[in-house]
């Protein structure tokens, strides 16, 4: 049974301490169980901080373990880091700008995450209100009109020409709205 994380004095959850043994096994001191790099990757995705210590020396080896997780993820077939990007990082080692690269990459990733969150929030609201909701409604109306145009009519229903004219009017209206947004 997994233990729940204790909350520190300032309300923050302290990092999980993981011990790495000489046999390469990782031991989660919070849950008192052996874990894998996949478990650490999942903790990262959940936003949970962890610290990996060498069991023999107590040295902090978190950085090298995180690098190993990236290597494992990249080796699974879906690469996220382009080869040119990796070459550029390697070329920065020993460069006079090396000290600035970590802060720059961290700030860039934080900006990316922030923009990603804003985009997801905007897309959630797009179909419940706002300018994209109106476009979605019009697209649905056009789709229904197009579907109705090709559905056989019963006697007394409007002609296909009337429906096509209405569809053209809706399309023109949609183009005008898109032009205003653009």
């Amino acid at each position: 049974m997994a233990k729940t994380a204790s909350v520190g004095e300032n309300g923050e959850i302290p990092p999980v301490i993981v011990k790495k043994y000489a046999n390469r096994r990782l031991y989660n001191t919070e849950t008192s169980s052996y874990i894998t790099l996949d478990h650490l990757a999942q903790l990262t995705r959940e936003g949970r901080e962890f610290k990996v210590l060498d069991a023999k020396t107590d040295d902090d080896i978190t950085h090298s373990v995180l690098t190993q997780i990236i290597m494992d993820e990249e080796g699974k077939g879906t690469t996220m880091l382009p080869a040119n990007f990796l070459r550029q990082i390697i070329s920065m080692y020993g460069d006079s700008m090396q000290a600035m690269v970590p802060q720059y990459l961290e700030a860039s990733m934080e900006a990316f995450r922030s923009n990603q969150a804003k985009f997801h929030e905007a897309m959630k609201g797009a179909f419940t209100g706002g300018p994209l909701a109106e476009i979605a409604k019009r697209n649905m109306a056009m789709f229904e009109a197009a579907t109705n145009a090709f559905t056989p009519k019963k006697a007394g229903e409007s002609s296909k020409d009337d429906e096509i004219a209405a569809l053209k009017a809706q399309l023109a209206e949609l183009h005008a709205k898109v032009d205003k947004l653009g």
Side-chain angles (χ1 to χ4, degrees):
M1 176 157 65
K3 296 179 187 176
T4 58
S6 59
V7 178
E9 292 176 17
N10 58 358
E12 291 184 21
I13 298 174
V16 175
I17 303 298
V18 176
K19 298 278 188 169
K20 185 173 184 180
Y21 290 92
N23 63 1
R24 297 183 183 174
R25 294 201 62 187
L26 299 166
Y27 184 77
N28 182 335
T29 61
E30 185 178 87
T31 61
S32 300
S33 62
Y34 287 99
I35 60 173
T36 64
L37 290 176
D38 286 336
H39 289 104
L40 291 178
Q42 186 59 37
L43 282 176
T44 301
R45 287 183 193 99
E46 293 169 358
R48 188 71 198 278
E49 294 288 324
F50 60 84
K51 189 175 189 178
V52 182
L53 303 175
D54 183 282
K56 189 174 187 179
T57 64
D58 255 0
D59 289 342
D60 185 348
I61 57 171
T62 307
H63 188 271
S64 63
V65 171
L66 289 169
T67 304
Q68 181 64 46
I69 292 170
I70 291 170
M71 287 176 37
D72 285 359
E73 291 291 328
E74 289 284 308
K76 290 179 182 175
T78 305
T79 59
M80 186 183 310
L81 302 172
N84 275 342
F85 176 77
L86 295 172
R87 284 185 182 95
Q88 290 172 4
I89 288 177
I90 292 168
S91 71
M92 295 298 285
Y93 283 96
D95 187 283
S96 61
M97 301 295 281
Q98 179 179 345
M100 292 175 30
V101 172
Q103 292 89 359
Y104 174 78
L105 290 176
E106 197 168 338
S108 296
M109 185 55 75
E110 187 57 38
F112 177 80
R113 285 281 201 175
S114 174
N115 288 337
Q116 183 184 35
K118 289 176 186 173
F119 177 76
H120 284 301
E121 193 60 36
M123 292 313 294
K124 266 201 287 187
F127 298 106
T128 57
L132 292 179
E134 187 61 33
I135 291 173
K137 286 178 189 174
R138 295 213 183 275
N139 283 341
M140 187 54 93
M142 285 177 28
F143 176 74
E144 287 174 3
T147 303
N148 291 338
F150 295 104
T151 303
K153 301 289 181 231
K154 296 179 183 173
E157 289 186 347
S158 64
S159 70
K160 286 184 182 181
D161 292 338
D162 293 341
E163 290 177 351
I164 291 173
L167 185 59
K168 285 181 180 180
Q170 288 178 346
L171 183 59
E173 198 174 299
L174 179 62
H175 280 289
K177 289 240 185 218
V178 169
D179 290 342
K180 284 182 186 178
L181 290 174

